[in-house]
Amino acid sequence: MTIKDIVTAQRTFFQTGATRTVTFRTQQLLKFERALKANEQILFDAIYADLKKSRYDTFTSELSLVYRELSFMMRNMGKWSKKKRMWTNLVNFPARSYVLPEPYGVTYIAGAWNYPYQLTLVPLIDSLAAGNTAVVKPSEVAPQTSAAMAKIINETFAPEYCFAVEGGADAATEILEQKFDYIFFTGGTKIGKIVYEAAAKHLTPVTLELGGKNPAFVLPDCDIATCAKRIVWGKLLNAGQTCVAIDYLLVHSSVEQKLLAEMKSVMERHYPKDAVSENFMAIVNERHVERIQQLIDPKKVYYGGVVDKKNRFIAPTILHNVTFDDDVMKEEIFGPVLAVVRYDDLNSAVKRVKEYPKPLSLYVFGSNNGEKERLFSELSFGGGSQNDAVMYFANDHLPLGGVGSSGMGAYHGVDGFKTFSHYKSIMEKPTWLEFWFLKVPPYSEWKLKILRLLLEKL
Ligand code: NAD
């Protein structure tokens, strides 16, 4: 079957209305949950082959999120699929108003390689929960995980309902030539623009989950001991290949040395310094190792800096005395390298952050409520947190999504369901009352007076 055939078959199947019942959706999600659990070992082996990701990391930062989304959807999608009563304004009296969610139809989900399971499967689960059919393309950059997901998906579902396609740019281009009813893409800003352009040809709505340089402010009153741990953990999770990881720190000069020493001590105690460890992930491929290596200026290395290209290992690294003119500040790092920029004046630090494209995440370490409120309200970013990094991603009550260059739209939990649903606004009117005389000529001043009151104020 060609991709075109698959999309046609899915459209025909969608139009039968089979996916609309909550019973059907529950059965499919249950079947998927069982298939994933039955094939867990294949998933563990594949991600180890691609990224040297341990079972511990794979469960905590991948599969647990997938299973959680499955159970969250199965528990709530019945409630979310119902019509929701809305107010009716007086000019429309008497009427009953509500919004009615409906699935878009045939959706396309393009995953990313850095958290291959959760970034591909969570939006897929959201799409199926909302009653759509789906074509899925895992990222070819992590080929073993792509093959594992394709195998499980294609063995579990009928192709006219959900189908996984493997491949790179060529496959993606062919897929994007088809008309979809919704496209959900996770990846970099450059490819995001290609996807957006392809979607525009069919006026297909999109969610783009993109990246950027995420700043973290460290204020003078920061609790150094705890925050150093959280900064290091958030940076080194997945060897820094995390879209919501801290990219660079803006540290107040009064706490810079103390924080650097503390972060170094945390890295020394818990992470490998100069050789591969089974508890520390590999960089996805040699091209990315070379890219990240070029961002490490040896003169600015405070800690780490070791690169072992053959084993795709980059040691946890801290760069200090970094300025906005350094290469490391010119692109998203997406690796285990933390750039530390010192500031004295918060106003000028804020001004520099505003010169960058809007980031996906922003973090503030410190307790000064005035400064925290200022940073959260004045700067534009997708989401973030105070005194922690990354973990807001795992709160399924919070929508996850970027703004500007870091993307558009959001998902996770109810927002995932909403993303893949169109909400029809409906007003039902009885026929026993009709203010006909107000609608038709002859128009007069007294009629206008009544309408002014009704339309302006009530
Ligand atoms: P990428 O944009 O390079 O690639 C994504 C996918 O695009 C690939 O799997 C590939 O098959 C496809 N592709 C390649 N060429 C294409 C083309 N011409 N047309 C259509 N599709 C094409 O991204 P990446 O390197 O896989 O991921 C890293 C980036 O993703 C980082 O910027 C990161 O911040 C971002 N990211 C964002 C999130 C998020 O949730 N916002 C999550 C993970 C990663």
Side-chain angles (χ1 to χ4, degrees):
M1 261 173 135
T2 63
I3 287 167
K4 193 170 178 212
D5 293 339
I6 299 280
V7 173
T8 307
Q10 290 205 355
R11 195 167 300 289
T12 307
F13 182 64
F14 179 76
Q15 279 161 1
T16 65
T19 67
R20 288 178 178 251
T21 69
V22 174
T23 313
F24 175 85
R25 300 184 211 174
T26 309
Q27 280 165 354
Q28 300 301 319
L29 293 186
L30 260 178
K31 203 159 74 160
F32 195 33
E33 186 179 35
R34 285 194 202 112
L36 289 169
K37 290 195 168 159
N39 286 287
E40 239 180 31
Q41 194 54 47
I42 293 178
L43 296 170
F44 283 132
D45 292 344
I47 204 164
Y48 192 79
D50 283 337
L51 289 151
K52 298 208 175 91
K53 194 162 182 164
S54 66
R55 283 173 71 88
Y56 182 93
D57 275 343
T58 303
F59 184 78
T60 53
S61 70
E62 297 264 5
L63 297 181
S64 65
L65 281 96
V66 173
Y67 295 149
R68 226 183 127 74
E69 194 78 0
L70 273 165
S71 60
F72 200 59
M73 285 296 146
M74 286 192 273
R75 260 201 329 272
N76 293 299
M77 65 190 179
K79 180 175 70 191
W80 296 335
S81 304
K82 289 191 178 133
K83 58 175 79 157
K84 185 167 174 250
R85 282 290 290 272
M86 307 299 280
W87 289 100
T88 302
N89 57 356
L90 201 61
V91 76
N92 279 304
F93 177 82
R96 206 165 70 100
S97 303
Y98 56 92
V99 286
L100 184 62
E102 68 166 7
Y104 277 104
V106 184
T107 62
Y108 171 47
I109 290 138
W113 55 264
N114 55 326
Y115 289 85
Y117 298 143
Q118 54 129 325
L119 294 177
T120 311
L121 302 181
V122 169
L124 172 63
I125 291 160
D126 294 349
S127 172
L128 300 183
N132 300 286
T133 69
V135 174
V136 193
K137 194 188 84 58
S139 173
E140 78 289 1
V141 180
Q144 302 297 327
T145 61
S146 169
M149 282 187 279
K151 171 182 149 51
I152 297 169
I153 289 169
N154 293 342
E155 282 175 4
T156 306
F157 298 116
E160 65 270 25
Y161 174 53
C162 178
F163 189 74
V165 180
E166 284 199 85
D170 290 348
T173 306
E174 193 185 341
I175 295 171
L176 287 171
E177 279 162 10
Q178 315 306 314
K179 178 177 164 36
F180 288 94
D181 300 297
Y182 202 92
I183 294 176
F184 189 106
F185 169 82
T186 304
T189 304
K190 195 170 136 228
I191 308 288
K193 287 180 186 170
I194 297 176
V195 173
Y196 200 16
E197 214 177 313
K201 291 205 178 92
H202 299 287
L203 276 183
T204 301
V206 294
T207 293
L208 300 175
E209 294 283 343
L210 311 177
K213 283 185 87 61
N214 302 322
F217 286 85
V218 181
L219 307 178
D221 68 351
C222 161
D223 171 345
I224 299 284
T226 302
C227 292
K229 286 188 190 123
R230 294 183 184 171
I231 291 168
V232 168
W233 180 86
K235 179 71 207 181
L236 298 183
L237 180 72
N238 228 42
Q241 301 163 108
T242 302
C243 55
V244 292
I246 298 170
D247 190 280
Y248 62 102
L249 288 181
L250 284 154
V251 188
H252 191 265
S253 56
S254 62
V255 286
E256 185 197 13
Q257 289 311 316
K258 216 170 147 202
L259 180 73
L260 283 167
E262 195 64 31
M263 291 194 302
K264 177 179 166 195
S265 146
V266 175
M267 287 185 181
E268 275 169 346
R269 270 179 284 148
H270 298 286
Y271 296 91
K273 185 169 194 259
D274 46 22
V276 180
S277 147
E278 63 177 29
N279 290 323
F280 192 70
M281 274 178 57
I283 303 302
V284 68
N285 55 34
E286 282 196 10
R287 184 174 65 80
H288 277 281
V289 175
E290 282 165 14
R291 181 187 62 75
I292 299 165
Q293 188 173 23
Q294 279 171 5
L295 301 178
I296 304 175
D297 176 351
K299 293 193 297 296
K300 304 224 163 167
V301 172
Y302 176 84
Y303 179 78
V306 174
V307 177
D308 172 356
K309 201 162 133 189
K310 193 169 120 268
N311 288 305
R312 294 186 278 130
F313 169 77
I314 295 187
T317 298
I318 302 172
L319 301 180
H320 68 152
N321 297 327
V322 172
T323 72
F324 286 96
D325 298 324
D326 289 339
D327 286 347
V328 75
M329 293 303 287
K330 292 188 179 138
E331 63 176 85
E332 183 182 359
I333 300 170
F334 220 56
V337 177
L338 182 61
V340 180
V341 182
R342 184 186 319 117
Y343 80 86
D344 285 303
D345 170 33
L346 190 62
N347 290 329
S348 41
V350 166
K351 191 164 165 273
R352 294 310 296 255
V353 171
K354 282 185 187 167
E355 286 164 11
Y356 280 94
K358 296 176 179 181
L360 182 59
S361 307
L362 182 138
Y363 303 105
V364 178
F365 291 88
S367 308
N368 183 318
N369 278 335
E371 291 187 342
K372 175 204 67 183
E373 295 294 338
R374 177 193 169 181
L375 294 167
F376 282 161
S377 58
E378 192 177 325
L379 290 164
S380 185
F381 55 96
S385 56
Q386 179 194 18
N387 289 333
D388 205 357
V390 175
M391 282 307 293
Y392 84 95
F393 185 101
N395 180 354
D396 42 25
H397 299 284
L398 283 176
L400 179 92
V403 58
S405 297
S406 56
M408 60 184 73
Y411 72 130
H412 283 187
V414 67
D415 293 280
F417 185 91
K418 284 183 183 164
T419 283
F420 285 101
S421 302
H422 165 64
Y423 286 81
K424 293 185 279 204
S425 293
I426 298 172
M427 203 165 70
E428 294 178 359
K429 286 193 115 173
T431 50
W432 54 267
L433 190 64
E434 170 60 52
F435 292 104
W436 181 242
F437 68 97
L438 279 175
K439 289 181 178 168
V440 289
Y443 299 139
S444 64
E445 275 308 307
W446 68 268
K447 282 189 189 178
L448 192 58
K449 257 189 198 151
I450 296 174
L451 285 170
R452 255 185 188 280
L453 186 71
L454 279 175
L455 295 175
E456 249 184 66
K457 308 277 186 216
L458 300 170

